[in-house]
Amino acid sequence: MPAIVLVFTSARIRPEPRVPLGTVIMITVSRRRFLQISGTTAGLAAAGSVAGGLARGGAVAEAPETGVRTVPTYCDICFWKCGAIAYVRDGQLWKIEGNPADPLSRGRLCPRGTGGVGAHVDPDRLKAPLVRRQKRGQEEWAEVTWDEALNVVAEKLQKIKAEYGPEAVALFSHGIGGTFLKHTLRAFGTPNMAAPSFAQCRGPRDVGFALTFGEEVGSPERTDIRNARCLVLIGSHLGENMHNTQAQEFAEAIGAGASIIVVDPRFSVAASKAKHYLPIKPGADLALLLAWMNVLVTEGLYDKEYVDAHGFGFDTFKAEIASSTPEWAYPETGIEPSVIRETAREMARHRPATLVHPGRHATWYGDDTQRSRAIALLNALLGSWGRKGGFWKPVQMTVPGYPYPPYPKPDKGKVDNPNGKYPFASEALTTGIREATITGAPYPVKGWMVYATNLLQAMPDQRETIRAIQALDLLVVVDVIPSEIAGWADVVLPETTYLERYDDLNVEWFREPFVALRQPVVHAPHAQKPNWWIARQLALRLGLGAYYPWTTIEEYLDYRLTKAGLSFDTLKKQGIIHGEKQPVFFDEGAEASFPTASRKIDFYSTTLREAGFDPVPKFTRPEPPPEGSFRLLFGRAPMHSFSRTQSNPILHDGMSENAVWVNVHVATRLGLTDGAYVRLRNQDGVLSARIRLKATERIRPDCVYMVHGFGHTSKRLTRALGKGASDAQLVTRYATDPLMGGTGMNVNFVTLEAEA
Amino acid sequence: MARYGMVIDTRKCVGCTDCVVACKTENQVPEGLNRDWITDDATGSFPTLHLEIRTERCNHCDNPPCVACCPTGASHVDPFGAIVLVTPEMCIGCKACLASCPYDARFVHPDGYADKCTFCIHRVKDGLDPACVSVCPTHCMTFGDLDDPNSEVNRQFASRPHHALMPAAGTEPRIFYLT
Amino acid sequence: MRELVLTRHNDLIDPLVRVWGWEIPVYLFLGGWVAGMMILVGYFLLRGRNREDTCVCSVLPGTSFVLLSLGMGALFLDLEHKLYVWRLYTTFEVTSPMSWGAWILLLVYPALAAAFALRPPGILRDLFPAVDRLSRRLDTPVGVRGIAAANLVLGIALGIYTGILLSALGARPFWNSAILGPLFLVSGLSSAAAFGHMVARHQEERELLARSDNVFLAIELFVVALFLVGLLSSSQAHVAAARLVLGGPFTAPFWVLVVGAGIVIPLMIQLLAVTHRIAHTPVGPLLVMAGGLALRFVIVAVGQVSHWAKV
Ligand SMILES: Nc1nc2c(c(=O)[nH]1)N[C@H]1C(S)=C(S)[C@@H](COP(=O)(O)OP(=O)(O)OC[C@H]3O[C@@H](n4cnc5c(=O)[nH]c(N)nc54)[C@H](O)[C@@H]3O)O[C@H]1N2
Ligand SMILES: Nc1nc2c(c(=O)[nH]1)N[C@H]1C(S)=C(S)[C@@H](COP(=O)(O)OP(=O)(O)OC[C@H]3O[C@@H](n4cnc5c(=O)[nH]c(N)nc54)[C@H](O)[C@@H]3O)O[C@H]1N2
Ligand code: SF4
Ligand code: SF4
Ligand code: SF4
Ligand code: SF4
Ligand code: SF4
Ligand SMILES: [Mo]
């Protein structure tokens, strides 16, 4: 009989069975049948009428709201922006479903979107503006009024401006909610604003593709997964990475019998769907990619017509990869030459409907732009760019912006990438701003505004981030929960969740044009305010009133929509307005244009050569783990978004702590038992919080894996505090991509220690 | 009368737990408790592994021991679609049904009565799919009348090899997993 | 290699089923014990020994009344939806041993009361003339035989039901044995005899009860063996269930507490006592009763963790 191992990843056996969790949950007499949160209830007692009014277009009703109403909006638990329909029952947020009219969600959300209800009812939410009372990071606060908080912020910003110039203020902001703060700070006069979505995420990929095709992959990715006949996933762990449309199309492709090839050191969910699973040695993907291209070229399997028509420098490229045979790649990757050949032929068999997925979180080893470029080139050989089953060309509706006065021109250039140190950094580098803040060079940075990004979990090397924070005169954090970064702030501004506010329009670049609206579903339960209000109030206090000619965001939205010939009312009712379909594939008439230096697909990149980099990607072997250590890998769990959902009571229930995956034979050798707590120590001596061991066959013996976003240390995140360990804490080393400044984070090594 | 069941395509299911989350919001399942759940079932050794991911819940068995053992009649087979239900107002919370279910599909609601998946009978009566089925981003679940030869669920049933859980326990489950 | 990972973490269910704590074993033990006492009472009454000064006829009915009430108290404590307990008596569910049990218990009380009334304690008679009158009215040959029969039949029903209650729960292979009923019955009988042995005032009755207890213990030993052999010769799940006490985590409690200290040792002590090699002491009987309690605890605990192969 096979051994049965029972593991409960999210085992949280309540010690007191009959006591409902959380002191404020489940009030009232008939209570426990409904998950009610006092905050919500209290808030709606006051706001119920207003919430009811929201549905009736602003008419304020007196009686408590009864019955069910629906409000279309779009999700914000991650950056995919799925169209959703929220249900409110008797004045309480009940559930959120996908909006069938929306091409991103296609009527179905991912678990995080469905669990978005928990963001609204989370009892740990920030409720009022806070001003620091003790030393930074001690999380001791005084609750203040919005007026006081905003006055403090404005005053300090003006002081920094007076002493160091407006450029000394930087904004970190992730997601569409940051639009208005960016506007205010541009008006204030700083060019310094960055998001972790570039240097910590998709930067290298977009640069690598832009260097090849002249265009980025973008977000949502321009991948035609649903029509792919062969889908190659290099690390992209679709199914765990729950970017909704991709997960849906992945299942569609499986259903249609597409041939799936997965390259991952870990037997991911996607791997379990694959015809070919390639358990690669971590960091050797570029070698595999070169070998694949070598097979396609030497065996003449590539799309000659496509390459002849659109390619530049193919012959040089061909010569460069001539030595990258499967036999050469074998010792680097651990993948048998026969398997490399077989999978290359499989790809060729289905081209051009063979999609080698570009990945998204591409910051792995510091050679990431070149690896991404190799992925782009492999797709080019297969002729999939611009073709059905490959990549479409995104289209967008025309919705004019709001006419503001021109921004002042900053005296100083951006601080994050002095002298173009990273010549292909097409967006600002969070790490660059951090470094300037620490060193004061090229010029001092004294104020940070942080909007919706938990820099302590998102950026590598927390120690550096804290050092930078200590060098600041002002740290303002706008968040919805008491995140780690909020814990370090001087002023914390509590935002309403996406379910309680308007945001800017989502005028999406997608395979069909549409515009979507985020609008309030329920009232904010406490003193939280939406970002547009915060940004505007701040601007008024900074004397930048001219940049806010509108007083409510409805005016702003209405203006933009009217200019586009669209109706705000219709959008409020439908949540989405579609534009006219346009061709998105070359074969359909989309223009086959490649805005590179050569105006073609750069198999050989003169741009790179001129900048002193390899014009055709070359493999460099990553440093192997020292004897007895394991490479630390990390990724996503389907029910969590980064570090933002662990305190969401509904999503917390799905996975309350993360586990570290260790090969079962390694675990046995180390005498560690499945389910027991261990700690990880990295090469710099940093010791993690305790984390459960998952002893599994599903991972190579030379690496360990954990889900990102756990191990919260913020005292006031009561549900998430002390649950699991943080990968970010262990990422004290990173390999910077010399092309664009991305921070490769898979270069840390850990040992395992049993927890007494 | 109908005999409702589910056919679930394990090749498509990615174990995302959306079905679990949707059940929680739709049915206000209290925190810490689950009417449905995901089972990762991996066999083999690295790298030659097989992983079956299953979304599981009460199987609404044709031969439900939980109903047979209930001393009050609280656990019953509803005439609507042969759905196995619990009437909270009749349940004494003796937990015999919890002990009798080989799938451990039941739990004690914090209010004291035995609770479990209802096949979302309130939605099905309105002509909707159960919440878990209707949200599933991979469309891997099909719900319908197993007695209706023309139903989609029967078409799926006939389309591929399938298995039910713990057939040896003899409960005759009505949820089938396509392999 | 097989790895099963569940995202479920329901209270009382995961990672291992433990829906029943101490209350149910205590109830099952007390119920079985009372069942045994009823059978003894029935037998003694049939033998007309209510005329003599036997503790079986004078002490056991009253004691049973109290013990059964304690058992019902434990059962009630276990209910999660207590206010609805009356729902047991708005229906009779043929397929539910618990429903049978509920109704049996309803009949057991009058039977016990009648047996009690046949030989009420002297002070009761003195204090309440009505008791005395009732006692006289019942004490007819027909009355005694009726009460005897009721106690015998209901005692057997009660004893077997405490076992059937578990064995009907097919989801738990360890309980999946028709022998559980007889096992609990004979165990109840041995506890009852042991109790009588302990409290008997006269040599003859003490000897009789001790000797019958030894027979019950011997039978119990045999039934335990039968129970295990039955599981071992059944399906894979049943074999796996039996292994829980044959080398598995419950081996020590089962063999040391239930079989060793609860059956074998008292059997030896009592064998020595009835052959007059040692004096009668309460040690043997107390061990028997403790063993009966341990039996219920172990069976309830092992049953809950036994399960069918997950797929
Ligand atoms: N549920 C959920 N979904 C999400 C998110 C979320 O927070 N939650 N975030 C979204 C965002 S912004 C992003 S960027 C994406 C990120 O998701 P992806 O881009 O798909 O994945 P990564 O996090 O980069 O990579 C994780 C996978 O890569 C494997 N891996 C690690 N090292 C290597 C290697 O050297 N080679 C190969 N071939 N594989 C390797 C890991 O084992 C793991 O399976 O997810 C998106 N989707
Ligand atoms: N070690 C490690 N680092 C990583 C990654 C990794 O896998 N491992 N992944 C990288 C990737 S791919 C990305 S995209 C980044 C993501 O990095 P971030 O975008 O910084 O992601 P989070 O850690 O979730 O932080 C988001 C913060 O925004 C807050 N927030 C949520 N909703 C709102 C809102 O409506 N309003 C406001 N004001 N705040 C809100 C949350 O509470 C949380 O504090 O991280 C990168 N960094
Ligand atoms: S992918 Fe999920 S979390 Fe992200 S926007 Fe869509 S539904 Fe929301
Ligand atoms: S929602 Fe669908 S894909 Fe996700 S776990 Fe449930 S059944 Fe599987
Ligand atoms: S799965 Fe369990 S609870 Fe559901 S009908 Fe079958 S035996 Fe009863
Ligand atoms: S717990 Fe309730 S539903 Fe279950 S058997 Fe007992 S009375 Fe019936
Ligand atoms: S059918 Fe309804 S009650 Fe049952 S698991 Fe699905 S959502 Fe939950
Ligand atoms: Mo990302």
Side-chain angles (χ1 to χ4, degrees):
Chain A
M1 218 171 98
I4 294 188
V5 184
L6 270 173
V7 196
F8 296 87
T9 33
S10 48
R12 185 172 52 71
I13 309 301
R14 294 174 300 158
E16 290 150 39
R18 303 295 166 261
V19 181
L21 279 158
T23 44
V24 286
I25 311 180
M26 302 163 191
I27 26 138
T28 75
V29 192
S30 70
R31 52 190 188 179
R32 291 177 301 190
R33 285 198 203 160
F34 304 96
L35 187 82
Q36 294 174 333
I37 305 295
S38 70
T40 322
T41 319
L44 284 174
S49 56
V50 185
L54 292 170
R56 287 183 286 273
V60 175
E62 288 302 319
E65 193 188 332
T66 55
V68 176
R69 65 180 165 89
T70 57
V71 185
T73 184
Y74 65 87
C75 179
D76 194 37
I77 304 292
C78 83
F79 309 107
W80 204 255
K81 307 196 228 43
C82 295
I85 295 179
Y87 286 67
V88 179
R89 185 168 60 189
D90 299 340
Q92 308 254 358
L93 180 60
W94 170 22
K95 60 177 175 178
I96 311 172
E97 294 179 350
N99 184 348
D102 167 53
L104 289 171
S105 77
R106 307 198 287 176
R108 301 187 177 214
L109 300 179
C110 89
R112 301 166 293 156
T114 307
V117 174
H120 169 65
V121 300
D122 185 348
D124 285 345
R125 285 179 64 171
L126 292 169
K127 300 181 175 76
L130 305 172
V131 170
R132 183 163 62 79
R133 275 206 322 226
Q134 296 284 330
K135 273 203 257 172
R136 278 205 178 110
Q138 293 198 339
E139 300 180 58
E140 292 294 333
W141 312 97
E143 279 198 11
V144 297
T145 63
W146 275 100
D147 226 22
E148 289 170 281
L150 291 166
N151 285 341
V152 171
V153 174
E155 211 173 283
K156 293 214 170 157
L157 286 176
Q158 295 291 38
K159 189 154 171 268
I160 292 170
K161 189 178 193 169
E163 273 177 52
Y164 305 96
E167 302 87 351
V169 174
L171 170 69
F172 295 86
S173 149
H174 199 179
I176 199 165
T179 311
F180 299 105
L181 271 175
K182 282 185 198 159
H183 172 57
T184 295
L185 285 179
R186 279 207 186 96
F188 180 71
T190 178
N192 294 316
M193 30 201 81
S197 50
F198 184 74
Q200 281 72 47
C201 177
R202 53 174 178 73
R205 175 201 72 183
D206 282 343
V207 172
F209 270 68
L211 282 166
T212 309
F213 296 113
E215 282 176 11
E216 302 185 344
V217 177
S219 170
E221 279 82 19
R222 52 202 284 176
T223 47
D224 191 22
I225 299 174
R226 68 179 178 208
N227 290 314
R229 298 300 307 141
C230 176
L231 175 64
V232 185
L233 299 174
I234 302 170
S236 296
H237 52 335
L238 299 185
E240 292 161 285
N241 156 355
M242 272 310 285
H243 271 166
N244 191 357
T245 326
Q246 299 209 39
Q248 292 194 23
E249 294 192 18
F250 181 41
E252 229 174 307
I254 294 168
S259 172
I260 292 161
I261 299 168
V262 170
V263 184
D264 200 310
R266 180 181 67 99
F267 191 78
S268 61
V269 165
S272 76
K273 314 291 181 192
K275 181 170 170 189
H276 299 279
Y277 166 51
L278 280 51
I280 196 164
K281 212 181 269 181
D285 302 87
L286 184 45
L288 174 68
L289 287 158
L290 292 172
W292 270 340
M293 294 196 280
N294 173 287
V295 175
L296 291 181
V297 171
T298 52
E299 298 191 7
L301 300 172
Y302 67 99
D303 192 334
K304 285 193 196 67
E305 219 176 293
Y306 183 92
V307 170
D308 285 349
H310 304 302
F312 168 82
F314 180 75
D315 291 333
T316 338
F317 162 81
K318 185 176 168 179
E320 288 259 355
I321 62 162
S323 57
S324 306
T325 61
E327 285 69 22
W328 161 81
Y330 176 47
E332 304 294 349
T333 58
I335 311 294
E336 299 270 355
S338 61
V339 174
I340 298 179
R341 288 211 164 77
E342 196 186 338
T343 44
R345 289 171 195 150
E346 181 83 20
M347 288 181 226
R349 203 168 300 137
H350 299 286
R351 69 173 168 76
T354 294
L355 172 63
V356 186
H357 195 285
R360 182 178 176 108
H361 182 210
T363 45
W364 288 353
Y365 299 95
D367 63 345
D368 305 304
T369 305
Q370 290 287 18
R371 183 187 68 250
S372 300
R373 202 170 118 65
I375 295 175
L377 289 172
L378 179 58
N379 278 297
L381 286 178
L382 295 162
S384 67
W385 184 262
R387 313 280 281 279
K388 204 169 167 188
F391 296 81
W392 35 262
K393 225 176 147 66
V395 290
Q396 197 194 32
M397 261 167 102
T398 327
V399 180
Y402 198 97
Y404 295 122
Y407 297 123
K409 202 172 151 21
D411 292 336
K412 303 172 198 154
K414 290 185 184 177
V415 79
D416 62 289
N417 188 15
N419 307 320
K421 183 173 168 198
Y422 303 107
F424 300 103
S426 51
E427 293 178 29
L429 305 170
T430 49
T431 23
I433 295 179
R434 181 175 74 181
E435 197 176 320
T437 309
I438 295 171
T439 60
Y443 55 81
V445 176
K446 287 293 170 187
W448 283 10
M449 296 263 320
V450 177
Y451 176 84
T453 170
N454 189 1
L455 295 180
L456 285 166
Q457 293 260 23
M459 290 172 74
D461 202 348
Q462 297 180 339
R463 301 167 307 181
E464 274 185 54
T465 308
I466 290 169
R467 227 179 316 145
I469 289 172
Q470 299 293 27
L472 292 172
D473 290 346
L474 175 68
L475 173 60
V476 182
V477 171
V478 187
D479 209 313
V480 288
I481 50 172
S483 59
E484 278 79 18
I485 188 68
W488 285 90
D490 303 314
V491 181
V492 181
L493 302 177
E495 207 198 348
T496 51
T497 68
Y498 70 105
L499 294 160
E500 302 145 2
R501 69 175 192 242
Y502 282 107
D503 262 325
D504 204 357
L505 301 168
N506 179 25
V507 191
E508 195 62 283
W509 282 100
F510 198 59
R511 55 151 76 90
E512 54 194 278
F514 68 92
V515 55
L517 176 71
R518 177 173 293 150
Q519 61 181 324
V521 174
V522 280
H523 212 272
H526 315 96
Q528 299 94 344
K529 292 284 183 190
N531 61 71
W532 66 263
W533 183 91
I534 298 170
R536 186 172 179 278
Q537 289 299 318
L538 204 55
L540 298 182
R541 282 168 175 77
L542 292 168
L544 304 170
Y547 289 90
Y548 281 92
W550 45 268
T551 43
T552 67
I553 189 170
E554 281 108 316
E555 280 170 47
Y556 164 91
L557 296 169
D558 192 34
Y559 180 94
R560 287 191 67 192
L561 289 163
T562 309
K563 278 281 172 207
L566 304 171
S567 148
F568 189 23
D569 278 337
T570 310
L571 192 55
K572 279 200 265 193
K573 252 178 246 127
Q574 305 178 349
I576 187 163
I577 295 176
H578 295 267
E580 218 164 299
K581 289 238 158 85
Q582 295 164 36
V584 295
F585 296 115
F586 297 166
D587 307 333
E588 285 177 349
E591 195 199 347
S593 62
F594 305 95
T596 56
S598 65
R599 303 282 130 193
K600 292 197 163 211
I601 301 172
D602 272 345
F603 281 92
Y604 180 90
S605 170
T606 48
T607 314
L608 281 174
R609 190 194 57 207
E610 278 156 24
F613 298 104
D614 294 331
V616 174
K618 277 199 180 67
F619 175 67
T620 40
R621 189 178 306 137
E623 184 196 337
E627 188 64 30
S629 288
F630 308 91
R631 188 180 296 278
L632 174 69
L633 304 180
F634 39 81
R636 311 284 173 241
M639 71 297 275
H640 284 291
S641 278
F642 315 110
S643 77
R644 64 171 61 191
T645 47
Q646 288 73 20
S647 79
N648 172 319
I650 293 172
L651 297 175
H652 176 92
D653 231 11
M655 184 188 270
S656 54
E657 57 185 306
N658 59 353
V660 58
W661 296 39
V662 178
N663 181 284
V664 64
H665 304 288
V666 171
T668 311
R669 181 159 48 75
L670 297 177
L672 299 171
T673 30
D674 186 47
Y677 280 110
V678 295
R679 285 177 198 267
L680 311 182
R681 189 184 292 280
N682 80 354
Q683 70 284 332
D684 296 324
V686 174
L687 187 66
S688 79
R690 60 175 209 161
I691 177 170
R692 275 187 202 278
L693 181 92
K694 175 181 163 113
T696 177
E697 287 281 0
R698 292 177 57 191
I699 191 165
R700 284 175 63 97
D702 55 2
C703 50
V704 299
Y705 174 85
M706 63 202 274
V707 169
H708 168 62
F710 284 85
H712 282 276
T713 53
S714 171
K715 283 192 289 205
R716 295 184 308 148
L717 277 182
T718 55
R719 231 183 223 81
L721 178 65
K723 304 252 179 79
S726 161
D727 58 330
Q729 186 202 8
L730 296 166
V731 178
T732 48
R733 243 189 238 179
Y734 52 96
T736 306
D737 191 312
L739 279 75
M740 46 61 71
T743 56
M745 298 194 273
N746 290 11
V747 296
N748 291 269
F749 305 114
V750 294
T751 51
L752 298 163
E753 299 179 8
E755 169 78 345
Chain B
M1 204 57 219
R3 201 169 56 93
Y4 286 115
M6 283 182 183
V7 174
I8 295 164
D9 187 345
T10 60
R11 274 197 225 154
K12 283 189 180 176
C13 174
V14 293
C16 70
T17 73
D18 202 7
C19 44
V20 178
V21 178
C23 181
K24 298 213 122 207
T25 55
E26 174 74 29
N27 298 307
Q28 315 279 338
V29 180
E31 190 172 355
L33 295 166
N34 287 93
R35 285 185 179 188
D36 55 347
W37 63 93
I38 306 302
T39 298
D40 286 353
D41 188 346
T43 43
S45 52
F46 190 83
T48 319
L49 289 158
H50 177 78
L51 173 66
E52 181 173 284
I53 305 175
R54 293 188 299 267
T55 167
E56 299 183 2
R57 59 188 53 59
C58 166
N59 284 285
H60 296 272
C61 305
D62 273 342
N63 180 23
C66 53
V67 171
C69 74
C70 177
T72 63
S75 278
H76 64 281
V77 179
D78 197 281
F80 181 85
I83 294 176
V84 177
L85 293 179
V86 179
T87 310
E89 296 74 26
M90 288 172 76
C91 173
I92 62 174
C94 69
K95 295 171 283 187
C97 54
L98 276 74
S100 80
C101 172
Y103 310 97
D104 298 340
R106 293 178 168 234
F107 56 87
V108 178
H109 190 279
D111 276 353
Y113 56 88
D115 197 13
K116 66 168 194 70
C117 162
T118 59
F119 261 178
C120 281
I121 189 167
H122 64 290
R123 289 175 59 96
V124 178
K125 280 185 171 164
D126 283 349
L128 299 168
D129 268 335
C132 51
V133 175
S134 77
V135 300
C136 173
T138 69
H139 293 254
C140 72
M141 309 167 81
T142 312
F143 176 86
D145 181 4
L146 293 168
D147 279 351
D148 173 0
N150 300 316
S151 63
E152 173 62 15
V153 76
N154 259 321
R155 212 185 55 72
Q156 289 285 334
F157 186 84
S159 70
R160 293 225 308 265
H162 48 72
H163 68 97
L165 299 181
M166 297 187 223
T171 64
E172 294 178 42
R174 289 208 305 265
I175 297 183
F176 300 93
Y177 296 89
L178 299 179
T179 54
Chain C
M1 180 65 185
R2 174 128 184 231
E3 287 173 38
L4 278 179
V5 181
L6 274 74
T7 63
R8 191 186 62 202
H9 43 87
N10 287 347
D11 186 39
L12 300 182
I13 297 290
D14 299 310
L16 293 170
V17 174
R18 54 199 183 314
V19 295
W20 288 327
W22 63 269
E23 299 93 338
I24 294 297
V26 164
Y27 162 72
L28 293 178
F29 168 63
L30 293 174
W33 183 3
V34 167
M37 301 216 275
M38 292 176 77
I39 294 170
L40 290 184
V41 168
Y43 174 77
F44 269 55
L45 289 181
L46 270 189
R47 281 305 181 96
R49 296 193 63 169
N50 55 322
R51 309 253 156 251
E52 304 164 25
D53 179 23
T54 60
C55 74
V56 169
C57 295
S58 58
V59 179
L60 263 49
T63 313
S64 295
F65 211 95
V66 174
L67 291 177
L68 191 62
S69 304
L70 286 176
M72 301 268 288
L75 181 65
F76 181 72
L77 282 183
D78 179 66
L79 297 184
E80 307 279 348
H81 220 198
K82 297 190 173 55
L83 292 180
Y84 295 81
V85 65
W86 54 275
R87 284 290 190 179
L88 281 171
Y89 296 106
T90 57
T91 176
F92 172 63
E93 298 290 327
V94 199
T95 56
S96 165
M98 263 205 195
S99 184
W100 279 90
W103 289 104
I104 290 174
L105 286 167
L106 214 58
L107 300 175
V108 161
Y109 273 106
L112 278 175
F116 178 78
L118 273 180
R119 292 212 45 147
I123 30 167
L124 270 189
R125 275 179 200 260
D126 298 344
L127 281 177
F128 305 101
V131 171
D132 190 50
R133 250 176 287 134
L134 175 70
S135 183
R136 281 170 206 287
R137 190 149 337 136
L138 288 174
D139 199 356
T140 65
V142 178
V144 171
R145 228 171 303 136
I147 294 170
N151 274 279
L152 261 178
V153 170
L154 288 169
I156 293 172
L158 180 62
I160 291 187
Y161 138 76
T162 57
I164 299 290
L165 175 72
L166 297 180
S167 64
L169 303 172
R172 315 291 155 195
F174 191 76
W175 294 338
N176 247 219
S177 163
I179 297 179
L180 221 47
L183 176 60
F184 280 16
L185 179 66
V186 70
S187 163
L189 271 168
S190 77
S191 291
F195 180 71
H197 172 197
M198 199 169 75
V199 299
R201 283 184 297 269
H202 300 293
Q203 179 70 11
E204 185 270 342
E205 192 188 12
R206 185 182 304 143
E207 292 282 329
L208 171 68
L209 289 173
R211 260 180 279 119
S212 25
D213 195 14
N214 288 348
V215 174
F216 295 143
L217 287 172
I219 296 177
E220 192 178 347
L221 217 45
F222 177 69
V223 176
V224 164
L226 219 61
F227 169 69
L228 292 177
V229 170
L231 287 179
L232 286 172
S233 57
S234 192
S235 80
Q236 223 183 22
H238 295 98
V239 174
R243 292 243 169 85
L244 291 167
V245 296
L246 297 170
F250 293 91
T251 309
F254 184 76
W255 292 102
V256 176
L257 296 180
V258 178
V259 178
I263 304 178
V264 176
I265 293 176
L267 180 57
M268 290 191 323
I269 293 176
Q270 292 179 171
L271 275 175
L272 292 174
V274 296
T275 52
H276 306 292
R277 264 170 264 195
I278 56 169
H280 286 279
T281 60
V283 174
L286 284 174
L287 280 176
V288 170
M289 287 184 279
L293 183 61
L295 174 76
R296 290 357 180 257
F297 265 101
V298 170
I299 299 250
V300 168
V302 180
Q304 294 190 73
V305 304
S306 72
H307 55 77
W308 292 87
K310 291 287 175 200
V311 199

